[in-house]
Amino acid sequence: MEKGFTITYEYGENLYVNTTNRCNFNCEFCLRHNGRGGSIYTHNLWLEREPTKEEILADIESRDLAKYKQLVFCGFGEPSYRIDDICWVIDQLKSKGKKPFTRMDTNGTGNLIHGRNICPDFAGRFDMVSISLNTDTAEKYDALCHPVQTGAYEAMKSFAKELRQYVPTVMMTVVDTIPKEEIENCRKICEEEIGAVYRVREYIED
Ligand code: SF4
């Protein structure tokens, strides 16, 4: 493996696919602020260049997929930048009879990034999408995530709602370090407003 070119890596019971460094956010808590992302996963996740879709496929195929619970498309950035290539990779795997449980971890602003509704692209390709809800108001969200585009919080929530039509499990997450009241407010937004599965994640220090 080239230095600075980790495409897939194991974490827990899953295989993660590192697709991009690009991101339209600059979150206060982002691992990218802390070195090159080597400490948490013991991999250097900063890609010296983006892998091509063919390189992503080849790297995944070099693994024994039966070993993993989920194949998770993420990035040391926002994976929806690569939605077209990721869809191609999943289609290739499926055409070869491989049917891993597929998940994407995203900030949920792929529609803003692409200027089109990308939700239908997930249909029949993804089993689960995990979206970072992070907090309960647009003001706090902007202060925490510093999105490039305006209206990112509402766009993220709309994306999550729309995606429910196309993906069996849409999950929204917060970390357990936010106040209890905020955790409860986020639960209501997730479950009652959007109808997604709510998950309070343990904060992992880098
Ligand atoms: S969305 Fe993810 S990759 Fe982008 S800045 Fe936030 S934490 Fe980092």
Short mmCIF file of all heavy atoms in Angstrom, two decimals, residues 28-30 133-136 140 144 173-184 186 198-206:
data_model
loop_
_atom_site.label_atom_id
_atom_site.label_comp_id
_atom_site.label_asym_id
_atom_site.label_seq_id
_atom_site.Cartn_x
_atom_site.Cartn_y
_atom_site.Cartn_z
N GLU A 28 -15.70 21.43 14.00
CA GLU A 28 -14.78 21.67 15.12
C GLU A 28 -14.13 20.38 15.59
O GLU A 28 -12.98 20.36 16.01
CB GLU A 28 -15.55 22.28 16.30
CG GLU A 28 -16.21 23.62 16.01
CD GLU A 28 -15.23 24.77 16.03
OE1 GLU A 28 -14.21 24.67 16.73
OE2 GLU A 28 -15.49 25.78 15.33
N PHE A 29 -14.90 19.29 15.52
CA PHE A 29 -14.44 18.01 16.08
C PHE A 29 -13.77 17.11 15.05
O PHE A 29 -13.43 15.97 15.34
CB PHE A 29 -15.63 17.26 16.69
CG PHE A 29 -16.79 17.11 15.74
CD1 PHE A 29 -16.82 16.10 14.80
CD2 PHE A 29 -17.84 18.03 15.77
CE1 PHE A 29 -17.88 15.99 13.90
CE2 PHE A 29 -18.91 17.92 14.87
CZ PHE A 29 -18.92 16.90 13.94
N CYS A 30 -13.59 17.61 13.82
CA CYS A 30 -13.10 16.74 12.75
C CYS A 30 -11.70 16.20 13.03
O CYS A 30 -10.81 16.94 13.44
CB CYS A 30 -13.09 17.49 11.42
SG CYS A 30 -12.63 16.43 10.04
N LEU A 133 -26.47 14.08 12.63
CA LEU A 133 -27.42 15.15 12.97
C LEU A 133 -26.70 16.21 13.82
O LEU A 133 -26.98 17.40 13.72
CB LEU A 133 -28.62 14.55 13.72
CG LEU A 133 -29.68 15.49 14.25
CD1 LEU A 133 -30.31 16.32 13.14
CD2 LEU A 133 -30.78 14.70 14.99
N ASN A 134 -25.85 15.76 14.67
CA ASN A 134 -24.96 16.60 15.49
C ASN A 134 -25.65 17.42 16.57
O ASN A 134 -25.22 17.43 17.71
CB ASN A 134 -24.12 17.55 14.63
CG ASN A 134 -23.04 16.83 13.88
OD1 ASN A 134 -22.39 15.95 14.42
ND2 ASN A 134 -22.84 17.17 12.62
N THR A 135 -26.69 18.18 16.20
CA THR A 135 -27.26 19.09 17.19
C THR A 135 -28.71 19.45 16.81
O THR A 135 -29.21 18.97 15.80
CB THR A 135 -26.38 20.35 17.33
OG1 THR A 135 -26.85 21.15 18.40
CG2 THR A 135 -26.36 21.17 16.05
N ASP A 136 -29.35 20.27 17.65
CA ASP A 136 -30.80 20.46 17.50
C ASP A 136 -31.23 21.77 16.87
O ASP A 136 -32.42 22.00 16.68
CB ASP A 136 -31.50 20.27 18.86
CG ASP A 136 -30.95 21.20 19.93
OD1 ASP A 136 -29.91 21.86 19.69
OD2 ASP A 136 -31.54 21.27 21.03
N LYS A 140 -26.65 26.30 16.03
CA LYS A 140 -25.58 25.50 16.67
C LYS A 140 -24.84 24.67 15.62
O LYS A 140 -23.62 24.50 15.70
CB LYS A 140 -26.19 24.59 17.75
CG LYS A 140 -26.50 25.30 19.04
CD LYS A 140 -26.82 24.30 20.14
CE LYS A 140 -28.27 24.35 20.50
NZ LYS A 140 -28.65 23.35 21.51
N LEU A 144 -20.88 24.75 14.77
CA LEU A 144 -20.10 23.53 15.02
C LEU A 144 -19.45 22.99 13.74
O LEU A 144 -18.32 22.53 13.75
CB LEU A 144 -21.06 22.46 15.59
CG LEU A 144 -20.51 21.15 16.11
CD1 LEU A 144 -19.66 21.38 17.36
CD2 LEU A 144 -21.66 20.18 16.44
N THR A 173 -27.24 10.41 13.86
CA THR A 173 -26.41 10.24 15.05
C THR A 173 -26.05 11.58 15.71
O THR A 173 -25.97 12.63 15.06
CB THR A 173 -25.09 9.52 14.71
OG1 THR A 173 -24.31 10.35 13.85
CG2 THR A 173 -25.33 8.18 14.04
N VAL A 174 -25.86 11.48 17.02
CA VAL A 174 -25.24 12.57 17.79
C VAL A 174 -24.19 11.91 18.68
O VAL A 174 -24.20 10.69 18.84
CB VAL A 174 -26.27 13.33 18.67
CG1 VAL A 174 -27.33 14.00 17.83
CG2 VAL A 174 -26.91 12.40 19.71
N VAL A 175 -23.32 12.72 19.26
CA VAL A 175 -22.37 12.12 20.21
C VAL A 175 -22.85 12.37 21.64
O VAL A 175 -23.59 13.32 21.91
CB VAL A 175 -20.92 12.66 20.03
CG1 VAL A 175 -20.29 12.12 18.75
CG2 VAL A 175 -20.89 14.16 20.07
N ASP A 176 -22.41 11.48 22.54
CA ASP A 176 -22.95 11.50 23.90
C ASP A 176 -22.39 12.62 24.78
O ASP A 176 -22.71 12.70 25.96
CB ASP A 176 -22.72 10.14 24.56
CG ASP A 176 -21.24 9.76 24.66
OD1 ASP A 176 -20.38 10.58 24.27
OD2 ASP A 176 -20.94 8.65 25.13
N THR A 177 -21.58 13.49 24.19
CA THR A 177 -21.00 14.58 24.99
C THR A 177 -21.89 15.83 25.00
O THR A 177 -21.63 16.77 25.74
CB THR A 177 -19.61 14.97 24.43
OG1 THR A 177 -19.74 15.14 23.02
CG2 THR A 177 -18.58 13.91 24.73
N ILE A 178 -22.93 15.86 24.18
CA ILE A 178 -23.81 17.04 24.17
C ILE A 178 -24.76 16.94 25.37
O ILE A 178 -25.00 15.85 25.90
CB ILE A 178 -24.60 17.19 22.84
CG1 ILE A 178 -25.52 16.00 22.57
CG2 ILE A 178 -23.64 17.41 21.68
CD1 ILE A 178 -26.42 16.17 21.35
N PRO A 179 -25.33 18.08 25.82
CA PRO A 179 -26.20 18.04 27.00
C PRO A 179 -27.42 17.12 26.82
O PRO A 179 -27.89 16.92 25.70
CB PRO A 179 -26.66 19.50 27.14
CG PRO A 179 -25.63 20.30 26.43
CD PRO A 179 -25.13 19.44 25.31
N LYS A 180 -27.91 16.59 27.95
CA LYS A 180 -29.04 15.64 27.92
C LYS A 180 -30.25 16.21 27.20
O LYS A 180 -30.92 15.52 26.43
CB LYS A 180 -29.45 15.29 29.37
CG LYS A 180 -28.60 14.21 30.01
CD LYS A 180 -29.44 13.42 31.03
CE LYS A 180 -28.74 12.18 31.51
NZ LYS A 180 -27.69 12.46 32.50
N GLU A 181 -30.54 17.48 27.45
CA GLU A 181 -31.72 18.10 26.83
C GLU A 181 -31.56 18.12 25.29
O GLU A 181 -32.52 17.90 24.55
CB GLU A 181 -31.85 19.53 27.37
CG GLU A 181 -33.18 20.15 27.06
CD GLU A 181 -33.20 21.64 27.37
OE1 GLU A 181 -32.42 22.11 28.23
OE2 GLU A 181 -34.01 22.35 26.71
N GLU A 182 -30.34 18.40 24.87
CA GLU A 182 -30.07 18.43 23.42
C GLU A 182 -30.19 17.03 22.82
O GLU A 182 -30.69 16.87 21.70
CB GLU A 182 -28.66 18.99 23.20
CG GLU A 182 -28.39 19.46 21.79
CD GLU A 182 -27.05 20.20 21.70
OE1 GLU A 182 -26.59 20.77 22.71
OE2 GLU A 182 -26.46 20.16 20.62
N ILE A 183 -29.74 16.04 23.57
CA ILE A 183 -29.88 14.65 23.11
C ILE A 183 -31.35 14.31 22.91
O ILE A 183 -31.75 13.69 21.92
CB ILE A 183 -29.22 13.67 24.11
CG1 ILE A 183 -27.69 13.80 24.03
CG2 ILE A 183 -29.64 12.22 23.83
CD1 ILE A 183 -26.91 12.89 24.97
N GLU A 184 -32.18 14.76 23.84
CA GLU A 184 -33.62 14.49 23.76
C GLU A 184 -34.25 15.27 22.59
O GLU A 184 -35.08 14.73 21.85
CB GLU A 184 -34.28 14.85 25.10
CG GLU A 184 -35.78 14.64 25.16
CD GLU A 184 -36.25 13.23 24.82
OE1 GLU A 184 -35.44 12.29 24.81
OE2 GLU A 184 -37.46 13.09 24.50
N CYS A 186 -32.80 16.18 19.88
CA CYS A 186 -32.34 15.52 18.64
C CYS A 186 -33.10 14.23 18.40
O CYS A 186 -33.41 13.87 17.26
CB CYS A 186 -30.83 15.26 18.70
SG CYS A 186 -29.85 16.74 18.53
N TYR A 198 -32.52 6.54 15.60
CA TYR A 198 -31.67 7.46 16.35
C TYR A 198 -30.55 6.70 17.05
O TYR A 198 -30.77 5.64 17.62
CB TYR A 198 -32.52 8.17 17.40
CG TYR A 198 -31.83 9.31 18.12
CD1 TYR A 198 -31.09 10.26 17.43
CD2 TYR A 198 -31.95 9.44 19.51
CE1 TYR A 198 -30.49 11.31 18.10
CE2 TYR A 198 -31.36 10.49 20.18
CZ TYR A 198 -30.62 11.42 19.47
OH TYR A 198 -30.02 12.46 20.13
N ARG A 199 -29.36 7.26 16.98
CA ARG A 199 -28.24 6.61 17.68
C ARG A 199 -27.38 7.67 18.37
O ARG A 199 -26.95 8.65 17.73
CB ARG A 199 -27.40 5.81 16.68
CG ARG A 199 -26.19 5.19 17.35
CD ARG A 199 -25.59 4.03 16.57
NE ARG A 199 -24.33 3.69 17.21
CZ ARG A 199 -23.13 3.80 16.66
NH1 ARG A 199 -23.02 4.22 15.41
NH2 ARG A 199 -22.04 3.50 17.32
N VAL A 200 -27.18 7.48 19.65
CA VAL A 200 -26.28 8.35 20.41
C VAL A 200 -24.93 7.63 20.45
O VAL A 200 -24.80 6.58 21.07
CB VAL A 200 -26.81 8.61 21.84
CG1 VAL A 200 -25.88 9.55 22.59
CG2 VAL A 200 -28.22 9.19 21.78
N ARG A 201 -23.96 8.19 19.77
CA ARG A 201 -22.65 7.54 19.65
C ARG A 201 -21.73 7.94 20.79
O ARG A 201 -21.76 9.09 21.24
CB ARG A 201 -21.95 7.95 18.33
CG ARG A 201 -22.59 7.41 17.10
CD ARG A 201 -21.73 7.68 15.87
NE ARG A 201 -21.62 9.10 15.54
CZ ARG A 201 -20.50 9.79 15.49
NH1 ARG A 201 -19.34 9.20 15.74
NH2 ARG A 201 -20.51 11.07 15.18
N GLU A 202 -20.91 7.01 21.18
CA GLU A 202 -19.90 7.32 22.17
C GLU A 202 -18.83 8.21 21.53
O GLU A 202 -18.41 7.94 20.40
CB GLU A 202 -19.27 6.00 22.65
CG GLU A 202 -18.36 6.15 23.84
CD GLU A 202 -17.62 4.83 24.13
OE1 GLU A 202 -18.03 3.79 23.58
OE2 GLU A 202 -16.66 4.88 24.89
N TYR A 203 -18.44 9.25 22.22
CA TYR A 203 -17.41 10.12 21.68
C TYR A 203 -16.06 9.41 21.75
O TYR A 203 -15.68 8.88 22.80
CB TYR A 203 -17.34 11.43 22.49
CG TYR A 203 -16.24 12.36 22.02
CD1 TYR A 203 -16.35 13.04 20.82
CD2 TYR A 203 -15.09 12.54 22.80
CE1 TYR A 203 -15.34 13.89 20.38
CE2 TYR A 203 -14.08 13.39 22.37
CZ TYR A 203 -14.21 14.05 21.17
OH TYR A 203 -13.21 14.89 20.74
N ILE A 204 -15.38 9.35 20.62
CA ILE A 204 -14.06 8.70 20.58
C ILE A 204 -13.00 9.78 20.47
O ILE A 204 -12.97 10.51 19.49
CB ILE A 204 -13.94 7.72 19.40
CG1 ILE A 204 -15.05 6.66 19.48
CG2 ILE A 204 -12.58 7.05 19.39
CD1 ILE A 204 -15.18 5.84 18.21
N GLU A 205 -12.18 9.86 21.48
CA GLU A 205 -11.13 10.88 21.46
C GLU A 205 -10.04 10.48 20.49
O GLU A 205 -9.65 9.32 20.44
CB GLU A 205 -10.56 11.05 22.87
CG GLU A 205 -10.13 12.47 23.12
CD GLU A 205 -9.96 12.73 24.61
OE1 GLU A 205 -10.60 12.07 25.42
OE2 GLU A 205 -9.15 13.60 24.91
N ASP A 206 -9.58 11.44 19.71
CA ASP A 206 -8.53 11.15 18.74
C ASP A 206 -7.18 11.05 19.46
O ASP A 206 -6.91 11.80 20.35
CB ASP A 206 -8.49 12.24 17.68
CG ASP A 206 -7.50 11.90 16.59
OD1 ASP A 206 -7.34 10.71 16.28
OD2 ASP A 206 -6.89 12.83 16.06
#
